[in-house]
Amino acid sequence: MSWGFLRDVLSGVNQYSTGIGRIWLAIVFIFRLLVYVVAAENVWKDELKEFECNIRQPGCENVCFDHFFPISQVRLWALQLIMVSTPSLLVVLHVAYRENREKRHRKKLYKNTGSMDGGLLCTYLISLLSKTAFEISFLFLFHKLYGGFNVPRLVKCDMSPCPNTVDCYISKPTEKKVFLYIVVVTSCLCIVLNITELTYLIFKYSIKCCFRNYIKKVQDTKHERKNSNSIDQYGTILGSRNGSATLFSIQDERNLPPNPHEE
């Protein structure tokens, strides 16, 4: 299987991620993708051939193997890795949509097509929620299918066509258990990182919105005070003009000669 496409997708998302997102990406590359490609596939290479039961009844080993391993663990990990990484493609598609929109309108519509704001922020948060949901779902599925996170040395099977309860042995159980623990621990670590990044982004942009609203409120208050002062100054000037006119009229009346008819 070629993992080149998945690697390119994750590398493209890296330039739009936060510092926590880059840590998540490094863990996915080093502890999941490389471990799977380099070692895990070889450890689980011939599971059915290496699964042995102490009976030669035709079909007994196949039925017992299918009962204890309904889905190959290594293939389940590969499916988990693909499903967990796919939501990151949403971010790349959203950025590509912004770039295509600017080309179609032939003008600058965004300060930066990869800036984490508005719709792109919502897409990024949705991708984080999706990745977390997939991680938890696959851990639950793995625990449900295999009865826990353990690889036993011996399993007892009484499924038909086995004539009685037979002992079946799993090859390299210790080695498989080590890789299983690595996968489970890295999966839990990725969940913690996703939740941490989700909380960080929500807190950061909540503070940013509150600060923006506070600045706007302060500016509106200053604008109202400025308008109020302008109105007061205009009223004072108008009042002083009216007072001067009244004073002039009184003085004019005092300087008028006496009316002879009044005597």
Side-chain angles (χ1 to χ4, degrees):
M1 178 179 180
S2 176
W3 294 94
F5 174 74
L6 182 61
R7 181 194 61 207
D8 294 339
V9 169
L10 295 177
S11 299
V13 178
N14 187 37
Q15 58 183 325
Y16 312 118
S17 301
T18 63
I20 302 174
R22 293 186 179 93
I23 295 174
W24 175 87
L25 185 62
I27 291 174
V28 169
F29 266 124
I30 298 173
F31 295 102
R32 302 186 78 166
L33 187 58
L34 291 180
V35 167
Y36 176 84
V37 173
V38 174
E41 282 188 322
N42 294 326
V43 175
W44 276 268
K45 191 172 184 180
D46 296 319
E47 295 178 76
L48 181 57
K49 292 181 179 179
E50 297 176 353
F51 184 82
E52 296 182 357
C53 298
N54 59 356
I55 192 172
R56 295 303 177 188
Q57 178 72 23
C60 181
E61 286 187 358
N62 291 334
V63 171
C64 292
F65 180 82
D66 184 68
H67 175 71
F68 289 107
F69 297 97
I71 301 176
S72 173
Q73 292 184 1
V74 70
R75 293 185 180 89
L76 187 62
W77 292 348
L79 181 61
Q80 179 185 6
L81 186 57
I82 293 171
M83 296 300 293
V84 166
S85 304
T86 300
S88 299
L89 185 62
L90 295 175
V91 180
V92 179
L93 292 176
H94 197 135
V95 175
Y97 165 76
R98 284 186 168 187
E99 294 175 350
N100 186 46
R101 191 163 177 259
E102 285 188 343
K103 290 180 180 179
R104 189 169 64 251
H105 289 82
R106 296 180 180 178
K107 62 180 180 179
K108 193 71 175 176
L109 301 175
Y110 309 95
K111 294 181 180 179
N112 183 8
T113 55
S115 60
M116 196 66 64
D117 58 356
L120 186 59
L121 175 63
C122 294
T123 302
Y124 195 85
L125 294 178
I126 291 173
S127 70
L128 289 176
L129 289 172
S130 301
K131 289 189 288 187
T132 305
F134 280 130
E135 294 279 15
I136 296 174
S137 299
F138 273 96
L139 286 178
F140 176 78
L141 178 62
F142 196 96
H143 189 277
K144 189 74 175 177
L145 289 175
Y146 302 109
F149 304 105
N150 187 33
V151 182
R153 298 177 181 273
L154 172 67
V155 292
K156 294 184 178 293
C157 178
D158 57 356
M159 306 290 295
S160 176
C162 299
N164 50 28
T165 302
V166 298
D167 296 333
C168 297
Y169 302 92
I170 300 174
S171 66
K172 299 177 285 187
T174 304
E175 189 175 13
K176 291 180 179 178
K177 188 185 297 185
V178 170
F179 282 102
L180 174 61
Y181 288 163
I182 291 174
V183 172
V184 172
V185 169
T186 53
S187 183
C188 293
L189 183 58
C190 287
I191 292 173
V192 173
L193 288 173
N194 288 333
I195 294 176
T196 303
E197 187 176 13
L198 183 66
T199 305
Y200 166 74
L201 288 174
I202 293 175
F203 178 77
K204 176 183 175 181
Y205 284 94
S206 297
I207 295 296
K208 187 176 180 180
C209 290
C210 292
F211 185 73
R212 186 184 303 162
N213 292 334
Y214 174 76
I215 295 296
K216 184 179 179 182
K217 186 177 180 180
V218 171
Q219 290 177 349
D220 291 342
T221 304
K222 289 182 178 179
H223 185 68
E224 290 177 0
R225 288 180 179 177
K226 185 177 179 180
N227 292 338
S228 178
N229 292 334
S230 299
I231 293 174
D232 293 341
Q233 290 176 1
Y234 178 75
T236 303
I237 294 172
L238 186 60
S240 63
R241 289 180 178 177
N242 293 334
S244 300
T246 304
L247 181 61
F248 290 151
S249 64
I250 293 174
Q251 289 178 350
D252 291 341
E253 289 179 357
R254 289 179 179 177
N255 294 329
L256 287 174
N259 189 354
H261 297 287
E262 290 182 355
E263 295 179 354

